[in-house]
Every structure is written in C-alpha cells, then in structure tokens.
Amino acid sequence: MAFSPLVDELVDSLRCLPGVGQKTAQRMAFHLLERGRSGGVRLAGALNQAMDNVRRCSSCQNFSDTEICQLCAKPERRTGTLCVVESPSDLLAIEQAGDYRGSYFVLMGHLSPIDGVGPEEIGIERLLQRIREEGVAELILATNPTVEGEATAHYIADRLDGQNILITRLAHGIPVGGELGYVDGFTLTHAFRGRKPLSE
Ligand SMILES: [Zn+2]
C-alpha cells in the first residue's frame, strides 16, 4: 500500500539495516514522523556525515575520520604487541575491558572462501607489512573462536612461520562459537591474560 512516496522511500531505506524487515522499518519510520522528528533530523545528519567522511585507518583498517585513527596516532600504544581482531566491535570490547595497551589490526571480517573473502579482502599483506615495519614482538590473534576465526588465525600464523615473533591466541573464557563483541569485560580480560602460543 502506497500512501506517500516519501514514507515508502523512508521505510525502504531503513530496511538496509541488519535485522530490520518491513514491519520493523514501518514502525521506525512512523515513530520518527510522529514523535521523533528532532531525532530523525539528527540521525539524517549523522548518517550523511558518517557516510561521506568515515574511512579506513591506513594503519589498522579500523573506521576513522582521519588518515590515521586516534588509537594508532598514540605513540604509547606502539608497545611491540599487535592484536588482530575481526571487527571494530571486537576492538571496542577489548578496549572497554581496559587491560590491553598495545596496538590493533582490524581485519573487517575473516577468511571465507565460499563468500569470496580471501587474504586480500581482509588486508593480510598490509598486516604483514606492518609487522615487518614496526618490529612486532608479539602478535595476538584475537579472531573469534569460530571455524572461520580459527582458520584465519592459522592462516596468519602460517604466513609468519619461521619469523621470530611470538604468536598467541586468546585462552579460556570466550565461549566456543561466540563473538568477542558480546563477551563481558571480566571474561575478556581473563581470556587475554591467559593467552598462549598458537602451537600449543
Ligand atoms: Zn588505526
């Protein structure tokens, strides 16, 4: 049913969000129009700004407004320890746990040949280049404990075979099949402290 092309377009646009189907999109649209106009205007402005200006940090691949993100720009985070995560929400979860003070590399995904995601798509060459250039002493492979996350960790470890780098993986506490972004800070801190070499 079409009673307003503008409302239809708004509903259709909202459906690009994950987990939002037709009914939810309609509810969101009607809410914004009925009771949330100022929020809607703010949302539109924020979306415009973010879509135009947010890019990927040239060092860690995380989202950033600038060429180098705020975290990579801090010299005190260059500790010789580099932590590889799958997504920005994983990085945030580790940062919020507060125990880790090194730097990051965000893959923005994991290896998934079925979906056409290979080493190039997740920036493996850039990661290896960074490890060489920065003289990384420890690489923490904090990919998710899923089949794809494990495969990605092992692929990276294989590419570094024979190099003098301690390669570690997060230990106990992270539920198998789970995602780091949903793990509480205490569990994550515990897992971080208990990390061990990948080969064990
Ligand atoms: Zn960065």
Side-chain angles (χ1 to χ4, degrees), residues 39-55 65:
V41 170
R42 187 178 165 199
L43 175 63
L47 273 172
N48 255 326
Q49 285 288 330
M51 294 307 118
D52 283 349
N53 298 309
V54 175
R55 59 175 105 172
D65 300 358

Side-chain angles (χ1 to χ4, degrees), residues 57-62 64 68-73 104 130:
C57 168
S58 63
S59 180
C60 71
Q61 300 199 129
N62 198 8
S64 173
I68 299 284
C69 76
Q70 292 186 10
L71 221 149
C72 288
Y104 292 94
R130 224 185 117 182

Side-chain angles (χ1 to χ4, degrees), residues 2-12:
F3 55 82
S4 158
L6 287 177
V7 173
D8 288 349
E9 173 58 18
L10 176 57
V11 171
D12 265 359

